[in-house]
Structure formats: C-alpha cells, structure tokens
Amino acid sequence: MSNIIVDKSVDGQQSLINTRRGGQTKYEKNVATREALWIKISLITIGLTFFGLFLVLPLVAVFTEALRKGLDVYWLALTDADALSAIKLTLLTAFISVPLNLVFGVAAAWAIAKFEFRGKQLLITFIDLPFSVSPVVVGLVYILVFGANGWFGSWLAAHDIKIIFAVPGIVLATIFVTFPFIARELIPLMQAQGKEEEEAAVVLGASGWKTFWYVTLPNIKWGLLYGVILCNARAMGEFGAVSVVSGHIRGQTNTIPLHVEILYNEYNFAAAFAVASLLALLALLTLVIKTWIEYRSAGSASAH
C-alpha cells in the first residue's frame, strides 16, 4: 500500500507532495513525467558543479589565503586595533538595528495579517522598497538629507550632531537595508495561520498583550527567529550603503566589510582574508542555524 505525504498550502487546500511505492515517486512511475537517467545525472552534475565553483571553492579560498602565512599572522590580523574597532562597530550596528527591525517587523506583520485598513497594499510596497533600491542609492539619500550640505545639515551642525560619517549614519543605513527581512518572513506565516485563535482569545477575555504573548508568539516563534537570523547576517555583511555614509575612517567608522576592502586595497592580502574569514564563519553559522530552525519548524508543524 502506498504512503501518501501531503502538505497544506497557504489557502488551506491539500496538495500531493509525494507518493512512494517500492522506492519510486508518483512522478517517476508516470511515463509522461518520468525523466531519462542521463537527464537526471546531467542536472545533478550541473547543480553540484555550480555549488562547488560558486560556494565551496570561494569559502575554501578564503580560509586558505587567511591561513597561508600561519596562525600567528592570522591571529595578529584579527587582534589589530583597527580590526577590533571594526568588529566592535559591526556588532554594535547589529545590536541596534536588529531589535528595532524586530519590533517593526512584528508590528507590521501583525497589522497586515490580522487587520484590514486603507493603505495596506501601500505599506507592503514600502516594506519591499529596500529590495528594489540599490544600497548605494540609500547611502546617497542619507547624505542628501543629513550631510553637511543636506536638508538638515545646517541644523545638525549648529547643534553639534553628527550623523553622516559617524555611527548614527551607519546604523540608519543598516536599518533601512535590513528592515524587510523579519516583516517579510512573518507576513505570509501569520496570514496562513489566520486570526481565529486570536479572536477566540479576545472573546474569552484576554488582553491584547496576553493574546500576542500566549497565542500569536508561540505560532510564529520559528519564523520570527528565522527572520532575525537573516536580518542579523545582512546587517553584519552590509557594504554598499554603509560604505557611502561611513567616510572610511579607520578605527572609527569602518565595519568588517569596509576594513576588508581597505586591507585588500593596501595589498595586505593575508590580513584581508583573515578578517574576511570572520564573515565567512558568520555565513556558515547562519546556514547551520537556518537549517536547524527549518528542521524544528517542520517538526512543530507535523506535530500539529
């Protein structure tokens, strides 16, 4: 007897994912959808080739070049004063931008998924704006608004407030390019879950905060964590917008990606790859956490 694995789509309908009988899927048994063996091998080979050339090989190259001159040189590059300053600034930027994006993402997803209001589609469009605008353009816009010759430049100078070529400008640019990640992860999830449970909680006398904490949050926790991980990875690796607004002041406004660029331009390749390996490790860690979250999320979904 065949085992049928089904999955619920967003609109609640069930779609057939896989039918197994004797190790063959439903589509492999159907002559119309069965592929020849050489086609399968070719596609797998192409996929593995691209994976090796564009993912594995660059990672191997980064760590090989970083360790080429030994662990002493590697450690010296990471403990350099400018490198430590770049690491601290990167962590500070992520520490500020990710929680702010977390608050915005949850609030926006809650409003869009649970309520109907005028301008809803416009809000969704604005959330997607950073995906379509170049980060360099974002940095130039901030300079136009907050720069010395910008719209608020004179007022900021008169009050001794520095935004451009300072930490506030870096944080603002990072917030802009990262704020869609959490919201865009939660919106389809919360829409798929509907609002019946929240309405039932309100009817039973629960307050808005208790409804969110005890009903909504447990249902979205894995999607929320997934969005936070992606947002944090983008915040730490952002280059374009931060490069424009930072001023490239060594030891003050350079994040890790900017510090890598400066070291590479100075032909200090060992140090550049050593610092770049930190970003590579962050990427690998993000993938591991992402895979674990997907596994837990799938297990949680099957349990329900």
Side-chain angles (χ1 to χ4, degrees):
M1 187 173 180
S2 62
N3 296 323
I4 300 177
I5 303 173
V6 297
D7 183 39
K8 287 189 176 181
S9 60
V10 172
D11 59 1
Q13 296 178 346
Q14 291 186 335
S15 59
L16 186 62
I17 300 300
N18 191 13
T19 302
R20 300 179 184 272
R21 179 181 293 166
Q24 282 190 325
T25 65
K26 169 188 174 184
Y27 305 104
E28 289 174 338
K29 291 185 296 181
N30 192 331
V31 177
T33 57
R34 184 189 307 154
E35 298 291 351
L37 180 61
W38 71 268
I39 295 179
K40 297 178 183 178
I41 295 176
S42 299
L43 292 175
I44 293 174
T45 302
I46 293 172
L48 290 177
T49 301
F50 270 77
F51 175 77
L53 288 177
F54 297 108
L55 291 176
V56 177
L57 187 60
L59 284 175
V60 173
V62 167
F63 288 103
T64 300
E65 292 297 326
L67 298 171
R68 182 179 295 276
K69 294 186 178 180
L71 289 175
D72 292 338
V73 175
Y74 180 83
W75 182 250
L76 186 62
L78 295 182
T79 55
D80 178 72
D82 291 339
L84 291 176
S85 175
I87 294 171
K88 290 178 183 178
L89 180 57
T90 302
L91 294 176
L92 175 64
T93 303
F95 182 77
I96 296 174
S97 60
V98 173
L100 291 177
N101 282 325
L102 172 64
V103 174
F104 169 80
V106 172
W110 176 284
I112 291 171
K114 306 298 182 181
F115 302 98
E116 296 295 332
F117 55 90
R118 290 183 180 180
K120 181 176 179 178
Q121 191 59 45
L122 183 62
L123 176 58
I124 296 175
T125 302
F126 282 145
I127 291 175
D128 290 337
L129 187 63
F131 288 141
S132 58
V133 177
S134 169
V136 175
V137 175
V138 174
L140 292 175
V141 169
Y142 277 118
I143 290 180
L144 175 64
V145 176
F146 301 113
N149 298 317
W151 297 348
F152 301 106
S154 300
W155 185 88
L156 292 172
H159 292 80
D160 196 26
I161 300 175
K162 291 195 66 176
I163 294 181
I164 302 301
F165 306 148
V167 175
I170 296 173
V171 172
L172 287 175
T174 303
I175 289 175
F176 183 88
V177 298
T178 57
F179 81 79
F181 287 91
I182 297 177
R184 262 305 173 190
E185 187 65 33
L186 293 180
I187 289 172
L189 177 61
M190 296 177 74
Q191 286 176 332
Q193 292 174 348
K195 50 187 177 181
E196 291 80 8
E197 294 184 8
E198 285 84 356
E199 291 174 346
V202 172
V203 169
L204 293 174
S207 63
W209 172 250
K210 286 187 176 180
T211 300
F212 171 77
W213 188 257
Y214 293 105
V215 178
T216 304
L217 186 59
N219 289 332
I220 66 171
K221 60 183 179 181
W222 295 115
L224 180 61
L225 183 57
Y226 185 79
V228 168
I229 293 299
L230 294 181
C231 179
N232 182 71
R234 177 61 191 275
M236 290 189 175
E238 173 57 28
F239 179 84
V242 172
S243 177
V244 175
V245 302
S246 70
H248 293 267
I249 305 173
R250 298 187 72 156
Q252 297 184 34
T253 62
N254 275 342
T255 58
I256 294 177
L258 301 184
H259 186 60
V260 171
E261 181 197 28
I262 289 178
L263 292 173
Y264 191 85
N265 290 337
E266 293 176 346
Y267 302 102
N268 191 353
F269 299 128
F273 281 105
V275 179
S277 68
L278 292 179
L279 293 178
L281 288 173
L282 172 65
L284 293 174
L285 179 62
T286 301
L287 287 176
V288 171
I289 298 177
K290 170 181 172 291
T291 304
W292 177 75
I293 291 173
E294 289 175 342
Y295 171 77
R296 291 299 302 270
S297 179
S300 178
S302 63
H304 288 81

